[in-house]
Amino acid sequence: NEGNEYLKEKNYKKAVVAYTEALKKKCEDAELNAVLHTNRGAAQFYLGNYRSALNDAIQAKKLKPTHLKAIIRGALCHMELKNFSEAIAWCEEGLQIDSKEKKLVETRAKADKLKSWRGLFWRSELISPLVGQGRAVMGIALLCERNIKLVLEPSSEEEEISDGLAELSIDGFHSDNATGAKVHLDADGNLHWPVLFLYPEHEQTDFIAAFHENSRFIDHLMVMFAELPPWDLEQKYLPSNIELYFEDEERSEMHKLNPEHTLLQVLQHQRYFVKAGTPTVLAFVKRSPFSKKYFSGKKVHRL
């Protein structure tokens, strides 16, 4: 009830805390737990934490497969994350339950349109040497100068165009992240990147839309955690108590970052690959039981 009140007041951070406390009670009523996950997902969605919101929608659907609100929320999360094929699948699942559900019908149509448009857009970049390719080459050149490595992950339908130009928009180097933020070059010739912070222990995310390549991670942590986040109920996430890592997926290895390093220094690491145009780092509490368990069995390169 407290969470519902906060949701009505649009106090989404407090709503997340309230629903989390409710879930911690581990009630055996599956339907109630489905509602709690769905409502917490709604609060997370409005805070822009789309991955956390999606995780709640997934949990709610597991508890109650016919819960339409959870299915709608999951479809909307996939839309925000630009996962148009997944959004379509969630919509179709919901429409099997209620074929006239307006929100699902609208989202399904929008996802179809955007999926088709994105495919056409990527292809137009490859066949337009005067407009698309010229700027694409400029974008790739900026990365080559800095020794930054890019990984592209086209869908199965687009595998035939998997080269560096696929991640470039007409306006410059493009990041296909949840908010649509783009890497941009300032007047002084410096790149500003969208950067995603993941907190695996709490399934939370932070997003910095324009992280200057010469800014240090510690400076951002000081700002981000000047106030403790509502999900940090144990008050462990202090700037001095946070460790940052990136994952080398190809080798299934973890690399610890020096928070005193700049974003550019991290991106230039020989095993750092920028995925989908958005650098990503994982944050853990030093020597926490969760981090010990998380790193168990993994090869970790520490400072």
Side-chain angles (χ1 to χ4, degrees), residues 124-145:
S124 71
E125 286 295 297
L126 296 177
I127 62 176
S128 178
L130 296 179
V131 180
Q133 193 170 350
R135 297 193 181 182
V137 171
M138 180 179 70
I140 294 297
L142 289 172
L143 301 186
C144 290
E145 286 174 10

PDB file of all heavy atoms in Angstrom, residues 124-145:
ATOM      1  N   SER A 124      21.004   1.798 -45.800  1.00  0.00           N
ATOM      2  CA  SER A 124      21.202   3.049 -46.517  1.00  0.00           C
ATOM      3  C   SER A 124      22.564   3.646 -46.187  1.00  0.00           C
ATOM      4  O   SER A 124      23.190   4.296 -47.016  1.00  0.00           O
ATOM      5  CB  SER A 124      20.105   4.056 -46.169  1.00  0.00           C
ATOM      6  OG  SER A 124      20.252   4.536 -44.841  1.00  0.00           O
ATOM      7  N   GLU A 125      23.054   3.418 -44.977  1.00  0.00           N
ATOM      8  CA  GLU A 125      24.380   3.916 -44.600  1.00  0.00           C
ATOM      9  C   GLU A 125      25.463   3.253 -45.445  1.00  0.00           C
ATOM     10  O   GLU A 125      26.483   3.856 -45.757  1.00  0.00           O
ATOM     11  CB  GLU A 125      24.653   3.612 -43.120  1.00  0.00           C
ATOM     12  CG  GLU A 125      23.879   4.486 -42.162  1.00  0.00           C
ATOM     13  CD  GLU A 125      24.285   5.950 -42.264  1.00  0.00           C
ATOM     14  OE1 GLU A 125      25.450   6.265 -41.967  1.00  0.00           O
ATOM     15  OE2 GLU A 125      23.453   6.763 -42.657  1.00  0.00           O
ATOM     16  N   LEU A 126      25.221   2.005 -45.810  1.00  0.00           N
ATOM     17  CA  LEU A 126      26.246   1.264 -46.545  1.00  0.00           C
ATOM     18  C   LEU A 126      26.238   1.574 -48.036  1.00  0.00           C
ATOM     19  O   LEU A 126      27.258   1.455 -48.701  1.00  0.00           O
ATOM     20  CB  LEU A 126      26.028  -0.240 -46.352  1.00  0.00           C
ATOM     21  CG  LEU A 126      26.181  -0.724 -44.907  1.00  0.00           C
ATOM     22  CD1 LEU A 126      25.877  -2.208 -44.833  1.00  0.00           C
ATOM     23  CD2 LEU A 126      27.584  -0.462 -44.403  1.00  0.00           C
ATOM     24  N   ILE A 127      25.093   2.004 -48.563  1.00  0.00           N
ATOM     25  CA  ILE A 127      25.016   2.206 -50.010  1.00  0.00           C
ATOM     26  C   ILE A 127      25.026   3.683 -50.392  1.00  0.00           C
ATOM     27  O   ILE A 127      24.770   4.043 -51.520  1.00  0.00           O
ATOM     28  CB  ILE A 127      23.743   1.545 -50.587  1.00  0.00           C
ATOM     29  CG1 ILE A 127      22.487   2.179 -49.982  1.00  0.00           C
ATOM     30  CG2 ILE A 127      23.758   0.047 -50.363  1.00  0.00           C
ATOM     31  CD1 ILE A 127      21.193   1.647 -50.577  1.00  0.00           C
ATOM     32  N   SER A 128      25.311   4.561 -49.403  1.00  0.00           N
ATOM     33  CA  SER A 128      25.329   5.987 -49.698  1.00  0.00           C
ATOM     34  C   SER A 128      26.734   6.549 -49.510  1.00  0.00           C
ATOM     35  O   SER A 128      27.048   7.126 -48.479  1.00  0.00           O
ATOM     36  CB  SER A 128      24.340   6.721 -48.791  1.00  0.00           C
ATOM     37  OG  SER A 128      24.389   8.108 -49.038  1.00  0.00           O
ATOM     38  N   PRO A 129      27.613   6.390 -50.481  1.00  0.00           N
ATOM     39  CA  PRO A 129      29.012   6.804 -50.316  1.00  0.00           C
ATOM     40  C   PRO A 129      29.185   8.301 -50.137  1.00  0.00           C
ATOM     41  O   PRO A 129      30.145   8.740 -49.521  1.00  0.00           O
ATOM     42  CB  PRO A 129      29.671   6.322 -51.618  1.00  0.00           C
ATOM     43  CG  PRO A 129      28.556   6.206 -52.602  1.00  0.00           C
ATOM     44  CD  PRO A 129      27.355   5.804 -51.814  1.00  0.00           C
ATOM     45  N   LEU A 130      28.266   9.102 -50.667  1.00  0.00           N
ATOM     46  CA  LEU A 130      28.435  10.549 -50.571  1.00  0.00           C
ATOM     47  C   LEU A 130      28.012  11.106 -49.218  1.00  0.00           C
ATOM     48  O   LEU A 130      28.582  12.076 -48.736  1.00  0.00           O
ATOM     49  CB  LEU A 130      27.623  11.239 -51.682  1.00  0.00           C
ATOM     50  CG  LEU A 130      28.086  10.927 -53.107  1.00  0.00           C
ATOM     51  CD1 LEU A 130      27.186  11.640 -54.110  1.00  0.00           C
ATOM     52  CD2 LEU A 130      29.532  11.366 -53.305  1.00  0.00           C
ATOM     53  N   VAL A 131      27.015  10.493 -48.591  1.00  0.00           N
ATOM     54  CA  VAL A 131      26.516  11.010 -47.313  1.00  0.00           C
ATOM     55  C   VAL A 131      26.925  10.110 -46.160  1.00  0.00           C
ATOM     56  O   VAL A 131      27.708  10.494 -45.306  1.00  0.00           O
ATOM     57  CB  VAL A 131      24.968  11.143 -47.346  1.00  0.00           C
ATOM     58  CG1 VAL A 131      24.475  11.678 -46.016  1.00  0.00           C
ATOM     59  CG2 VAL A 131      24.563  12.074 -48.474  1.00  0.00           C
ATOM     60  N   GLY A 132      26.409   8.874 -46.175  1.00  0.00           N
ATOM     61  CA  GLY A 132      26.647   7.993 -45.039  1.00  0.00           C
ATOM     62  C   GLY A 132      28.095   7.574 -44.877  1.00  0.00           C
ATOM     63  O   GLY A 132      28.668   7.708 -43.823  1.00  0.00           O
ATOM     64  N   GLN A 133      28.708   7.102 -45.962  1.00  0.00           N
ATOM     65  CA  GLN A 133      30.024   6.483 -45.826  1.00  0.00           C
ATOM     66  C   GLN A 133      31.094   7.506 -45.466  1.00  0.00           C
ATOM     67  O   GLN A 133      31.995   7.219 -44.685  1.00  0.00           O
ATOM     68  CB  GLN A 133      30.400   5.759 -47.114  1.00  0.00           C
ATOM     69  CG  GLN A 133      31.611   4.845 -46.924  1.00  0.00           C
ATOM     70  CD  GLN A 133      31.828   3.963 -48.122  1.00  0.00           C
ATOM     71  OE1 GLN A 133      31.003   3.896 -49.008  1.00  0.00           O
ATOM     72  NE2 GLN A 133      32.939   3.281 -48.160  1.00  0.00           N
ATOM     73  N   GLY A 134      31.005   8.716 -46.000  1.00  0.00           N
ATOM     74  CA  GLY A 134      31.997   9.726 -45.692  1.00  0.00           C
ATOM     75  C   GLY A 134      32.064  10.006 -44.207  1.00  0.00           C
ATOM     76  O   GLY A 134      33.140  10.049 -43.616  1.00  0.00           O
ATOM     77  N   ARG A 135      30.917  10.157 -43.583  1.00  0.00           N
ATOM     78  CA  ARG A 135      30.895  10.430 -42.150  1.00  0.00           C
ATOM     79  C   ARG A 135      31.212   9.190 -41.347  1.00  0.00           C
ATOM     80  O   ARG A 135      31.757   9.263 -40.250  1.00  0.00           O
ATOM     81  CB  ARG A 135      29.537  11.005 -41.762  1.00  0.00           C
ATOM     82  CG  ARG A 135      29.284  12.345 -42.461  1.00  0.00           C
ATOM     83  CD  ARG A 135      28.110  13.091 -41.884  1.00  0.00           C
ATOM     84  NE  ARG A 135      27.907  14.327 -42.605  1.00  0.00           N
ATOM     85  CZ  ARG A 135      26.984  15.209 -42.299  1.00  0.00           C
ATOM     86  NH1 ARG A 135      26.174  14.985 -41.285  1.00  0.00           N
ATOM     87  NH2 ARG A 135      26.845  16.311 -42.989  1.00  0.00           N
ATOM     88  N   ALA A 136      30.847   8.035 -41.889  1.00  0.00           N
ATOM     89  CA  ALA A 136      31.176   6.784 -41.208  1.00  0.00           C
ATOM     90  C   ALA A 136      32.684   6.633 -41.084  1.00  0.00           C
ATOM     91  O   ALA A 136      33.204   6.305 -40.026  1.00  0.00           O
ATOM     92  CB  ALA A 136      30.601   5.601 -41.983  1.00  0.00           C
ATOM     93  N   VAL A 137      33.380   6.903 -42.188  1.00  0.00           N
ATOM     94  CA  VAL A 137      34.827   6.789 -42.174  1.00  0.00           C
ATOM     95  C   VAL A 137      35.424   7.760 -41.167  1.00  0.00           C
ATOM     96  O   VAL A 137      36.366   7.450 -40.455  1.00  0.00           O
ATOM     97  CB  VAL A 137      35.390   7.053 -43.589  1.00  0.00           C
ATOM     98  CG1 VAL A 137      36.909   7.165 -43.549  1.00  0.00           C
ATOM     99  CG2 VAL A 137      34.964   5.934 -44.532  1.00  0.00           C
ATOM    100  N   MET A 138      34.839   8.979 -41.093  1.00  0.00           N
ATOM    101  CA  MET A 138      35.319   9.957 -40.128  1.00  0.00           C
ATOM    102  C   MET A 138      35.154   9.438 -38.703  1.00  0.00           C
ATOM    103  O   MET A 138      36.043   9.567 -37.857  1.00  0.00           O
ATOM    104  CB  MET A 138      34.553  11.274 -40.283  1.00  0.00           C
ATOM    105  CG  MET A 138      35.003  12.361 -39.305  1.00  0.00           C
ATOM    106  SD  MET A 138      34.081  13.892 -39.542  1.00  0.00           S
ATOM    107  CE  MET A 138      32.459  13.400 -38.950  1.00  0.00           C
ATOM    108  N   GLY A 139      33.985   8.803 -38.426  1.00  0.00           N
ATOM    109  CA  GLY A 139      33.744   8.266 -37.093  1.00  0.00           C
ATOM    110  C   GLY A 139      34.707   7.154 -36.745  1.00  0.00           C
ATOM    111  O   GLY A 139      35.260   7.118 -35.650  1.00  0.00           O
ATOM    112  N   ILE A 140      34.954   6.242 -37.687  1.00  0.00           N
ATOM    113  CA  ILE A 140      35.887   5.145 -37.454  1.00  0.00           C
ATOM    114  C   ILE A 140      37.306   5.689 -37.254  1.00  0.00           C
ATOM    115  O   ILE A 140      38.070   5.202 -36.430  1.00  0.00           O
ATOM    116  CB  ILE A 140      35.845   4.157 -38.645  1.00  0.00           C
ATOM    117  CG1 ILE A 140      34.482   3.465 -38.708  1.00  0.00           C
ATOM    118  CG2 ILE A 140      36.962   3.132 -38.522  1.00  0.00           C
ATOM    119  CD1 ILE A 140      34.153   2.621 -37.505  1.00  0.00           C
ATOM    120  N   ALA A 141      37.643   6.741 -38.004  1.00  0.00           N
ATOM    121  CA  ALA A 141      38.978   7.322 -37.885  1.00  0.00           C
ATOM    122  C   ALA A 141      39.212   7.870 -36.479  1.00  0.00           C
ATOM    123  O   ALA A 141      40.306   7.736 -35.920  1.00  0.00           O
ATOM    124  CB  ALA A 141      39.162   8.435 -38.921  1.00  0.00           C
ATOM    125  N   LEU A 142      38.179   8.486 -35.896  1.00  0.00           N
ATOM    126  CA  LEU A 142      38.308   9.015 -34.541  1.00  0.00           C
ATOM    127  C   LEU A 142      38.642   7.903 -33.553  1.00  0.00           C
ATOM    128  O   LEU A 142      39.433   8.096 -32.632  1.00  0.00           O
ATOM    129  CB  LEU A 142      36.994   9.695 -34.120  1.00  0.00           C
ATOM    130  CG  LEU A 142      36.668  11.023 -34.799  1.00  0.00           C
ATOM    131  CD1 LEU A 142      35.259  11.461 -34.436  1.00  0.00           C
ATOM    132  CD2 LEU A 142      37.687  12.085 -34.415  1.00  0.00           C
ATOM    133  N   LEU A 143      38.035   6.746 -33.739  1.00  0.00           N
ATOM    134  CA  LEU A 143      38.291   5.617 -32.844  1.00  0.00           C
ATOM    135  C   LEU A 143      39.669   5.028 -33.089  1.00  0.00           C
ATOM    136  O   LEU A 143      40.380   4.669 -32.144  1.00  0.00           O
ATOM    137  CB  LEU A 143      37.218   4.539 -33.038  1.00  0.00           C
ATOM    138  CG  LEU A 143      35.782   4.956 -32.780  1.00  0.00           C
ATOM    139  CD1 LEU A 143      34.856   3.749 -32.873  1.00  0.00           C
ATOM    140  CD2 LEU A 143      35.627   5.634 -31.437  1.00  0.00           C
ATOM    141  N   CYS A 144      40.058   4.936 -34.352  1.00  0.00           N
ATOM    142  CA  CYS A 144      41.377   4.376 -34.674  1.00  0.00           C
ATOM    143  C   CYS A 144      42.495   5.241 -34.095  1.00  0.00           C
ATOM    144  O   CYS A 144      43.484   4.730 -33.583  1.00  0.00           O
ATOM    145  CB  CYS A 144      41.540   4.254 -36.186  1.00  0.00           C
ATOM    146  SG  CYS A 144      40.492   2.981 -36.923  1.00  0.00           S
ATOM    147  N   GLU A 145      42.312   6.556 -34.160  1.00  0.00           N
ATOM    148  CA  GLU A 145      43.311   7.465 -33.602  1.00  0.00           C
ATOM    149  C   GLU A 145      43.522   7.213 -32.113  1.00  0.00           C
ATOM    150  O   GLU A 145      44.619   7.346 -31.586  1.00  0.00           O
ATOM    151  CB  GLU A 145      42.849   8.926 -33.781  1.00  0.00           C
ATOM    152  CG  GLU A 145      42.956   9.452 -35.184  1.00  0.00           C
ATOM    153  CD  GLU A 145      42.347  10.834 -35.299  1.00  0.00           C
ATOM    154  OE1 GLU A 145      42.025  11.438 -34.243  1.00  0.00           O
ATOM    155  OE2 GLU A 145      42.192  11.323 -36.426  1.00  0.00           O
TER     156      GLU A 145
END
